[in-house]
Amino acid sequence: MKPSIISSSLLIIFLVFTATATISGYTFKAYITPNFSATYLQFIDDSGTFLISPNGTFKAAIFNPGSQQTSFYLCIIHAASRTITWSANRGRAISSSGQMNLTAKGITISDESGRNNPVWSTPPLRSQVDRLVLTDMGNLLLLDPSNVSLWESFRYPTDTIIIGQSLPVGSSLSSSSSDSDLSIGNYNLTITSSDAILQWLGQTYWKLSMDTKAYKNSLSMVEYMAVNRTGFYLFGSNGTVAVFLVGLPESNFRVATLDNSGHFVIKSFSSGTGWKQEFQGPDDGCGTPLVCGRVGLCNDDDTSSSSSSSSSSSSPVCSCPQNFHVGSGNSGGCVPSNGSYSFPYSCDVSNNDSYHNNNNQSNSASSIVSFLNLGNGLDYFNNIYTDPVMDSVDLSLCQDQCSKNCSCLGVFYKNSSGSCYVIENELGSILSSNDGANQDMFGFIKVSIGSTTTNDDTRDAEDGGGGFPVVATVLLPITGFALLMAFLFFLWRRSIKISKRKQDLELGKPNNNPHSSGDLDAFYIPGLPRRFDYDELKKATDDFKTLIGSGGFGTVYKGVLSDNAVVAVKKIVNIGVQGKKDFCTEIAVIGNIHHVNLVKLKGFCVQGRHRFLVYEYMNLGSLDRTLFGGGPPLEWQERYDVALGTARGLAYLHGGCEHKIIHCDIKPENILLHNHFQVKISDFGLSKLLSPEQSGLFTTMRGTRGYLAPEWLTNSAITEKTDVYSYGMVLLELISGRKNCYFKSRNHSIDEDSNSSSSSTSGLLYFPLLALEKHEEGNYMDLADPRLEGRVTNEEVEKLVRIALCCVHEEPALRPNMAAVVGMLEGGMALPQPKMESLNFLRFYGRRFTEASMIIEENNDNEGGRREVNNNSSSMTSGGSQAALVSYISSQTVSGPR
Ligand SMILES: *[C@@H]1O[C@H](CO)[C@@H](O)[C@H](O)[C@H]1NC(C)=O
Ligand SMILES: *[C@@H]1O[C@H](CO)[C@@H](O)[C@H](O)[C@H]1NC(C)=O
Ligand SMILES: *[C@@H]1O[C@H](CO)[C@@H](O)[C@H](O)[C@H]1NC(C)=O
Ligand SMILES: *[C@@H]1O[C@H](CO)[C@@H](O)[C@H](O)[C@H]1NC(C)=O
Ligand SMILES: *[C@@H]1O[C@H](CO)[C@@H](O)[C@H](O)[C@H]1NC(C)=O
Ligand SMILES: *[C@@H]1O[C@H](CO)[C@@H](O)[C@H](O)[C@H]1NC(C)=O
Ligand SMILES: *[C@@H]1O[C@H](CO)[C@@H](O)[C@H](O)[C@H]1NC(C)=O
Ligand SMILES: *[C@@H]1O[C@H](CO)[C@@H](O)[C@H](O)[C@H]1NC(C)=O
Ligand SMILES: *[C@@H]1O[C@H](CO)[C@@H](O)[C@H](O)[C@H]1NC(C)=O
């Protein structure tokens, strides 16, 4: 391949051996020598990591993507983004006890059952291996004793290339099957001497040369594809000429990857903001082959859009063409409406079948083909990139051509030119255009008329009739009776359906939208996570037996799915979006947000008036229980990790994904914990999705008192800085280990020497004010949770207090954004100095608060612990300062709907 890469990697090797990297207390060597073996279980505390690059940017691990427990791969992982940039045994996963061996002959990977029969190994090498190293660029190298590279992972790309790597002409990237199954999927990116081409099972659906974002710079032959810190290129002439180029913002870590939906994506990562997508091909919503499943009709013209949701504008909408309806399987897609039609089998099977069947007359012929008309104004992705097989022919000739060829599954026919296009190998989604450009393009799908369903298929064949005379006459006497029964059954089903609809109407379910009437059959939306049946959820939760939480949007139950996955099932009661379609559009957006610090949406249920969301289950519950509950106190490092994880998740919501999402309800109850105090934020995306131009349009207040920013009360715009405020409040609670408002108990250490205004009166204490006062004194230790008993230093507490105070600045513009908070916590960014002029409001609230607490104490008898000051949310809207005060000090949920 490119000599430049080898030399540059050699250069890096000189730096490699000087350093060792330390992560989470373990010391890793920067290289490994032969007669080494590793299993996942051996390194389980570090998620299988056995080798780390000198500065820690990359690690090599026996890894289980998606946290499933069955498929493990030898992976190179970019540590900060947890992205797999390369995997060895992608075709054959090993179990958690599978092993990687390094010997003088190279690397082998084997499963427990077959040690002598490796599932993967490096090719035969020129000489003996001296060491295995992982460079800071992410290249895994086998070196001989004189530091010459014998093998390197950069030469064997899987679905991704990174900076420093190149993809030579003639080679390909292949997508993975899914996020957790790295086996080779159906999409290919191939570099040719003039282009980069995306294909799905031999059908082309994108070419770089036809993408408007790429700039053609030279007529030279392409030699390889690469990304660097400032762009994406197809290079020619030994890398001296960029044949195609796409300029990109400067970034230290960038990947070009073919994802498992078939998109070729270039994105960059920074630890503050997370991923930023920079390029995508194909870029239009309907561009990938299976966006609407097989024969699904994809429409991304934004003509039918209601103003309801910003996200619907760019999302394609799927439906089925005429003569088809939504298939039942999980894969989506459409099947012929007439049950006696089916898609033909793939080439070889049907050949053999029809041969046997024709010999055997008793079996009904399954090879009679017909063409179902999809209508006009349609197109197929491959037509744009390939020439028609015939021009100036009749439609019947076009169809005949397809009937004869067993690999042909459908035709597209352009009336004006008589052009005939064929679909081969597999059927993808159909494109629909409303703009009239393709009015004379007709689509036809080949179907077999299977008469295997003999008791059902009874009607006289109206089209042609001569299809199967034998069958028809034999069955006719029985048919009369069967028809009658079928008709009665049909009437019965219909009456049930109608009465059910009436019920729905009586229950106030909006049914005026034709799309949301009936079930979801009329449409479906790509990107939707799995759809569950109500009965399935009822069974999984044992009839909603185990309540594990409740919040503004509804109640949460624990459940176990049929595949033993433990889930949290959230029953939605108060959601603003009522229509099924709008609901699903929002779910599709939420379902596509993936970040380690955000709870993953596994699926949903929309049935009748039921609305459920199914999330992965977090075994340690929510932060409020761990922090305020009676269990052992969280150690400081754990609190710090929680603070950092929450900040990362929020930073991602605010800037890392396509739609900016303001959480609006950050509080300990929505911060869930998993093994090793991994943080996952829940309930995101349920607040209104905001496009940049929309952020200011919040009208109804939502959120939780105690974490609500002042702007909720002053009619200012609600922005992501509103979340920053709530985050600051949570940070203060992490420091003290208590609610920000709590009752002082007489013998508590915090108030012994305190004579500040916040605690001079007995009873309630307003911690944010105490934090401000102690900050002014420079005495941070007083703020730390006394249960830590000194297992934290003044400096450590100071760091969090200062960040927290900056987050709760009254003026939103003075609060840092979440990406900056991540930077401060990670240490890459200087600690900020809180601005007193924007914190004085805490004194006002603190004073009013203690006064209020005394009034309440008179009214309410003391029952100890935290106290809800006001349960009546109507007082919130009165706008008086009393109401404002209440909003700061109570922790009642205000309202679910926007
Ligand atoms: C590794 O093991 C093989 C076979 O047991 C042995 O011949 C070789 O010397 C060992 N290599 C090292 C570097 O220990
Ligand atoms: C890998 O190494 C282990 C321990 O040295 C050995 O038992 C096993 O047979 C080796 N497996 C292979 C495939 O070489
Ligand atoms: C690690 O090394 C790579 C390559 O030299 C460099 O790009 C990167 O910035 C370094 N990362 C850190 C955290 O030092
Ligand atoms: C290989 O590189 C390492 C680290 O720079 C060095 O210590 C060693 O001497 C080199 N070996 C040879 C044969 O050049
Ligand atoms: C992808 O490309 C590789 C190499 O050209 C080829 O072996 C493989 O069959 C292709 N896969 C698909 C699904 O086209
Ligand atoms: C990336 O490659 C282009 C084309 O060779 C070059 O002009 C540019 O300087 C490179 N950028 C960096 C940061 O090396
Ligand atoms: C490309 O590089 C190779 C090896 O470095 C060299 O032999 C060849 O002449 C170069 N080709 C061109 C066109 O510069
Ligand atoms: C037909 O089936 C036989 C085995 O049943 C198989 O060997 C053969 O390849 C098939 N024919 C075609 C055309 O694939
Ligand atoms: C279904 O297809 C069969 C076979 O062509 C035809 O006889 C029948 O009338 C069709 N049924 C409907 C409801 O169109």
Side-chain angles (χ1 to χ4, degrees):
M1 211 183 42
K2 296 272 81 54
S4 63
I5 286 175
I6 297 169
S7 58
S8 67
S9 33
L10 274 176
L11 198 76
I12 289 161
I13 294 161
F14 277 95
L15 308 169
V16 162
F17 298 111
T18 54
T20 57
T22 307
I23 284 185
S24 73
Y26 293 83
T27 305
F28 289 89
K29 280 198 275 185
Y31 63 87
I32 288 170
T33 51
N35 292 352
F36 171 89
S37 63
T39 67
Y40 168 74
L41 297 171
Q42 209 178 324
F43 295 92
I44 190 165
D45 287 343
D46 293 286
S47 318
T49 303
F50 60 89
L51 180 62
I52 292 181
S53 76
N55 73 10
T57 306
F58 287 90
K59 54 191 189 177
I62 311 284
F63 187 68
N64 50 336
S67 301
Q68 37 76 31
Q69 294 300 323
T70 51
S71 302
F72 290 76
Y73 304 88
L74 168 56
C75 296
I76 298 174
I77 299 167
H78 180 251
S81 64
R82 305 193 192 201
T83 303
I84 297 173
T85 58
W86 182 79
S87 57
N89 53 319
R90 65 186 305 210
R92 291 176 68 182
I94 52 175
S95 69
S96 57
S97 53
Q99 202 168 43
M100 173 238 137
N101 272 16
L102 174 68
T103 66
K105 288 183 182 152
I107 304 170
T108 55
I109 298 172
S110 57
D111 230 325
E112 199 171 27
S113 51
R115 290 281 183 243
N116 298 319
N117 186 13
V119 301
W120 182 87
S121 63
T122 46
L125 304 172
R126 289 195 299 280
S127 66
Q128 299 261 302
V129 173
D130 183 59
R131 55 185 80 184
L132 174 71
V133 304
L134 178 62
T135 70
D136 280 331
M137 291 176 94
N139 195 5
L140 193 67
L141 292 152
L142 288 173
L143 300 178
D144 77 358
S146 46
N147 289 344
V148 173
S149 160
L150 298 170
W151 173 92
E152 49 189 291
S153 64
F154 266 16
R155 287 210 199 186
Y156 303 89
T158 51
D159 60 356
T160 299
I161 65 165
I162 55 180
I163 296 174
Q165 196 173 6
S166 67
L167 187 67
V169 65
S171 56
S172 327
L173 298 180
S174 309
S175 63
S176 293
S177 297
S178 75
D179 288 338
S180 55
D181 176 3
L182 302 185
S183 66
I184 293 177
N186 288 333
Y187 303 100
N188 257 13
L189 175 86
T190 306
I191 308 303
T192 70
S193 61
S194 61
D195 216 335
I197 296 175
L198 284 177
Q199 288 188 314
W200 175 69
L201 301 170
Q203 305 175 46
T204 301
Y205 61 96
W206 179 80
K207 287 183 175 178
L208 180 66
S209 59
M210 288 168 71
D211 195 299
T212 51
K213 298 185 289 310
Y215 171 61
K216 181 150 190 174
N217 189 41
S218 155
L219 291 174
S220 306
M221 303 270 272
V222 171
E223 286 169 1
Y224 62 97
M225 178 177 98
V227 286
N228 71 10
R229 286 159 47 101
T230 52
F232 162 68
Y233 309 90
L234 296 189
F235 282 115
S237 306
N238 275 1
T240 56
V241 173
V243 182
F244 285 97
L245 63 93
V246 179
L248 302 171
E250 178 143 0
S251 169
N252 280 333
F253 182 65
R254 165 172 289 137
V255 301
T257 186
L258 178 56
D259 71 19
N260 51 39
S261 67
H263 286 107
F264 174 60
V265 172
I266 300 173
K267 51 189 181 174
S268 62
F269 181 87
S270 69
S271 56
T273 53
W275 285 108
K276 201 165 196 74
Q277 181 168 312
E278 302 168 320
F279 181 90
Q280 173 173 297
D283 204 15
D284 47 335
C286 291
T288 46
L290 279 181
V291 59
C292 287
R294 180 199 257 185
V295 197
L297 193 59
C298 186
N299 190 336
D300 67 352
D301 297 337
D302 189 25
T303 50
S304 59
S305 170
S306 53
S307 57
S308 61
S309 164
S310 61
S311 57
S312 66
S313 59
S314 62
S315 307
V317 172
C318 296
S319 56
C320 286
Q322 67 185 36
N323 293 326
F324 285 82
H325 67 81
V326 177
S328 48
N330 255 347
S331 54
C334 304
V335 296
S337 307
N338 185 337
S340 46
Y341 293 126
S342 58
F343 292 116
Y345 287 112
S346 66
C347 216
D348 42 2
V349 177
S350 72
N351 252 358
N352 273 356
D353 267 10
S354 67
Y355 178 73
H356 293 311
N357 288 342
N358 288 345
N359 281 352
N360 183 355
Q361 279 294 330
S362 72
N363 205 334
S364 52
S366 66
S367 64
I368 300 169
V369 301
S370 174
F371 286 89
L372 282 184
N373 192 347
L374 301 175
N376 69 332
L378 305 177
D379 211 343
Y380 191 68
F381 57 85
N382 190 37
N383 297 349
I384 304 156
Y385 301 99
T386 32
D387 292 331
V389 290
M390 291 183 288
D391 271 315
S392 313
V393 294
D394 284 346
L395 172 61
S396 59
L397 198 61
C398 181
Q399 292 185 343
D400 280 353
Q401 175 75 20
C402 186
S403 305
K404 277 187 251 157
N405 179 354
C406 68
S407 71
C408 178
L409 300 175
V411 298
F412 274 82
Y413 182 75
K414 200 173 180 73
N415 219 355
S416 54
S417 60
S419 306
C420 174
Y421 299 86
V422 297
I423 305 177
E424 288 190 307
N425 303 334
E426 184 57 276
L427 293 166
S429 301
I430 313 290
L431 307 170
S432 132
S433 59
N434 290 345
D435 59 7
N438 285 313
Q439 282 316 300
D440 69 331
M441 182 74 104
F442 291 79
F444 298 88
I445 296 297
K446 191 162 140 185
V447 287
S448 326
I449 305 170
S451 37
T452 45
T453 51
T454 41
N455 54 349
D456 166 36
D457 180 12
T458 53
R459 290 128 299 211
D460 299 288
E462 60 207 43
D463 53 345
F468 29 89
V470 181
V471 178
T473 45
V474 169
L475 289 179
L476 219 56
I478 313 165
T479 307
F481 181 68
L483 248 179
L484 189 70
M485 292 310 288
F487 184 66
L488 288 177
F489 180 72
F490 174 68
L491 278 185
W492 177 68
R493 285 292 299 269
R494 200 180 144 83
S495 72
I496 286 185
K497 248 197 174 151
I498 287 176
S499 72
K500 211 173 155 204
R501 175 137 332 145
K502 263 198 189 132
Q503 245 175 6
D504 281 346
L505 281 176
E506 277 157 19
L507 287 166
K509 178 186 151 219
N511 220 347
N512 41 4
N513 181 351
H515 274 313
S516 60
S517 67
D519 215 343
L520 273 179
D521 294 345
F523 68 93
Y524 55 101
I525 291 165
L528 271 184
R530 174 165 165 207
R531 187 167 157 222
F532 290 91
D533 262 358
Y534 177 68
D535 290 341
E536 205 175 345
L537 293 184
K538 195 171 165 184
K539 184 156 166 263
T541 55
D542 204 0
D543 207 3
F544 305 103
K545 205 164 102 197
T546 318
L547 182 73
I548 52 174
S550 64
F553 287 108
T555 44
V556 190
Y557 303 88
K558 185 174 175 177
V560 181
L561 299 180
S562 50
D563 64 354
N564 287 332
V566 187
V567 291
V569 177
K570 171 164 269 183
K571 180 177 178 178
I572 307 286
V573 287
N574 275 330
I575 200 152
V577 176
Q578 289 294 336
K580 278 184 184 174
K581 187 174 176 181
D582 291 340
F583 181 76
C584 290
T585 310
E586 302 223 354
I587 296 304
V589 173
I590 301 170
N592 279 314
I593 297 172
H594 301 296
H595 188 272
V596 287
N597 296 119
L598 300 174
V599 172
K600 189 167 160 205
L601 182 67
K602 287 185 85 110
F604 71 104
C605 166
V606 190
Q607 206 169 325
R609 65 215 139 76
H610 297 300
R611 300 281 186 279
F612 289 95
L613 297 179
V614 181
Y615 290 102
E616 54 181 343
Y617 178 76
M618 296 297 127
N619 54 7
L620 295 183
S622 53
L623 176 62
D624 60 319
R625 288 191 217 170
T626 319
L627 195 58
F628 312 133
L634 280 178
E635 286 305 314
W636 187 258
Q637 185 58 42
E638 290 162 351
R639 294 172 201 233
Y640 201 85
D641 291 346
V642 169
L644 185 55
T646 309
R648 284 191 179 133
L650 274 177
Y652 184 79
L653 280 181
H654 291 170
C657 45
E658 208 174 323
H659 303 276
K660 175 194 281 189
I661 289 174
I662 300 176
H663 189 294
C664 289
D665 201 7
I666 288 295
K667 56 180 173 178
E669 288 81 351
N670 281 335
I671 298 170
L672 306 186
L673 303 175
H674 206 53
N675 297 334
H676 304 303
F677 294 98
Q678 193 182 20
V679 175
K680 305 250 186 194
I681 301 175
S682 80
D683 263 12
F684 57 87
L686 299 186
S687 58
K688 196 167 180 61
L689 293 167
L690 293 185
S691 60
E693 65 275 13
Q694 253 188 323
S695 54
L697 290 184
F698 261 96
T699 47
T700 321
M701 175 158 33
R702 32 169 286 107
T704 302
R705 296 176 207 168
Y707 306 93
L708 278 180
E711 54 265 30
W712 285 109
L713 304 155
T714 56
N715 275 340
S716 333
I718 297 307
T719 66
E720 66 269 28
K721 294 294 181 66
T722 309
D723 282 347
V724 176
Y725 181 93
S726 310
Y727 174 81
M729 285 296 171
V730 172
L731 213 46
L732 290 173
E733 296 186 335
L734 272 172
I735 294 164
S736 69
R738 267 178 293 200
K739 283 275 172 194
N740 279 333
C741 325
Y742 60 92
F743 263 92
K744 276 192 306 176
S745 58
R746 292 261 164 252
N747 53 2
H748 210 278
S749 61
I750 262 197
D751 51 344
E752 270 164 13
D753 58 345
S754 178
N755 54 1
S756 62
S757 61
S758 62
S759 53
S760 56
T761 44
S762 68
L764 285 159
L765 187 125
Y766 188 53
F767 186 74
L769 176 54
L770 185 65
L772 179 63
E773 290 166 351
K774 293 292 174 187
H775 165 70
E776 287 171 320
E777 291 170 19
N779 184 2
Y780 298 98
M781 278 310 272
D782 283 358
L783 297 170
D785 190 338
R787 291 176 295 174
L788 285 171
E789 291 170 338
R791 291 191 300 278
V792 57
T793 65
N794 198 53
E795 287 69 39
E796 287 171 318
V797 183
E798 174 180 5
K799 184 170 181 181
L800 287 201
V801 170
R802 275 169 65 176
I803 294 174
L805 287 175
C806 288
C807 288
V808 302
H809 280 146
E810 185 174 22
E811 171 56 47
L814 291 178
R815 297 173 204 153
N817 63 32
M818 286 315 298
V821 172
V822 173
M824 294 166 196
L825 288 171
E826 282 179 340
M829 228 166 135
L831 264 193
Q833 196 55 250
K835 300 213 168 20
M836 286 308 143
E837 64 275 19
S838 202
L839 287 168
N840 282 328
F841 76 107
L842 290 175
R843 299 184 212 278
F844 166 74
Y845 285 123
R847 255 197 316 278
R848 296 297 303 264
F849 178 63
T850 39
E851 286 164 17
S853 78
M854 284 152 71
I855 300 166
I856 292 155
E857 201 143 356
E858 285 161 20
N859 299 342
N860 259 332
D861 224 341
N862 55 325
E863 50 187 59
R866 169 162 62 88
R867 191 155 296 214
E868 316 299 5
V869 178
N870 193 336
N871 277 339
N872 182 1
S873 64
S874 68
S875 71
M876 299 299 303
T877 50
S878 70
S881 67
Q882 188 66 32
L885 164 62
V886 166
S887 80
Y888 282 92
I889 58 184
S890 164
S891 63
Q892 275 290 296
T893 301
V894 176
S895 65
R898 41 201 88 177

